[in-house]
Amino acid sequence: LPILVDNDANLMAYGEQRTHYPHCSAFALIKVSTGIGAGVVVDGAVYRGIDGGAGDIGHVRVPEGADALCKCGSYGCLAALASGRALARRLTEAGFPAASGSDVRALLDAGNPTALGFAREAGRHVGEVLATVVTLLNPGVLMIAGDLAGTAFLTGVRELLYQRALPRSTAHLDIVTSRLGDRAALIGAGTLVVEHLYAPERAEERLAALGV
């Protein structure tokens, strides 16, 4: 049997785009949880690059993070400043124990002012990188998903994105949050399997195997 493998951000993007934005020809989803990743759907297909490395924006270098050590071993990665892991570390240092993006989300849901401030700051860092992403891809929908995808984070993203990106790139851009929530990757995976199995070339292969 064929086995299809993909990362969570790609599957989330595919699930959201196919379910709610099927007519959007350039769709980008940014997942900000314990780490940071992006999934891009262009003309109805996930864009993966030449070997699956597309969308790894968590390791884009940002000037403010020159002294921040990332889990990849480099300094200055976006994830080292703005991921759920980074915020969990800062919150723990501030006296609010957190070990992961889900712990950060719990503090955000509880209205913790320190967590809200950190999330808005993280959103600004991500928004600065997304200004380049939006300028390059010119998507119709930019979706923020994951544990940090709340009002504070989204506010920070909007502040820097609209400040740094050209008006031409944002004139027809919708910045939204996830509509499928925790089901997005599952729906994306199911859609990927169904469309793979029933693609015209697969149907032809099965018919040929049956001698039809």
Side-chain angles (χ1 to χ4, degrees):
L1 295 175
I3 297 174
L4 306 180
V5 179
D6 215 325
N7 69 44
D8 53 355
N10 283 346
L11 293 175
M12 291 170 70
Y14 200 56
E16 296 276 9
Q17 191 272 339
R18 300 299 282 169
T19 302
H20 292 295
Y21 302 94
H23 302 298
C24 180
S25 60
F27 176 96
L29 177 144
I30 312 303
K31 181 193 175 191
V32 187
S33 291
T34 298
I36 300 176
V40 177
V41 181
V42 177
D43 292 334
V46 176
Y47 178 75
R48 300 180 176 86
I50 59 170
D51 61 5
D56 203 1
I57 67 167
H59 299 289
V60 172
R61 304 294 178 83
V62 288
E64 297 87 343
D67 298 325
L69 178 62
C70 181
K71 68 172 185 175
C72 73
S74 296
Y75 286 87
C77 293
L78 178 64
L81 279 182
S83 66
R85 180 184 289 106
L87 266 63
R89 182 182 66 252
R90 292 185 64 191
L91 285 165
T92 298
E93 292 170 352
F96 304 99
S100 65
S102 59
D103 291 338
V104 175
R105 180 171 63 181
L107 288 168
L108 292 171
D109 289 344
N112 181 288
T114 302
L116 291 169
F118 286 170
R120 183 167 180 170
E121 181 183 344
R124 289 172 61 85
H125 289 308
V126 173
E128 185 170 8
V129 172
L130 290 182
T132 300
V133 172
V134 166
T135 301
L136 177 66
L137 296 178
N138 189 209
V141 175
L142 176 65
M143 178 174 284
I144 309 298
D147 291 325
L148 272 59
T151 301
F153 186 87
L154 194 63
T155 298
V157 168
R158 288 176 179 273
E159 285 175 356
L160 258 290
L161 177 57
Y162 285 117
Q163 177 182 330
R164 300 293 173 85
L166 292 172
R168 171 69 179 83
S169 301
T170 58
H172 303 290
L173 175 67
D174 289 329
I175 303 177
V176 301
T177 54
S178 174
R179 296 179 64 176
L180 296 176
D182 293 339
R183 299 181 299 131
L186 181 62
I187 291 173
T191 303
L192 196 67
V193 169
V194 169
E195 294 188 355
H196 174 83
L197 288 175
Y198 294 100
E201 58 270 24
R202 303 291 182 275
E204 292 293 339
E205 288 172 3
R206 289 194 293 273
L207 290 172
L210 293 171
V212 178

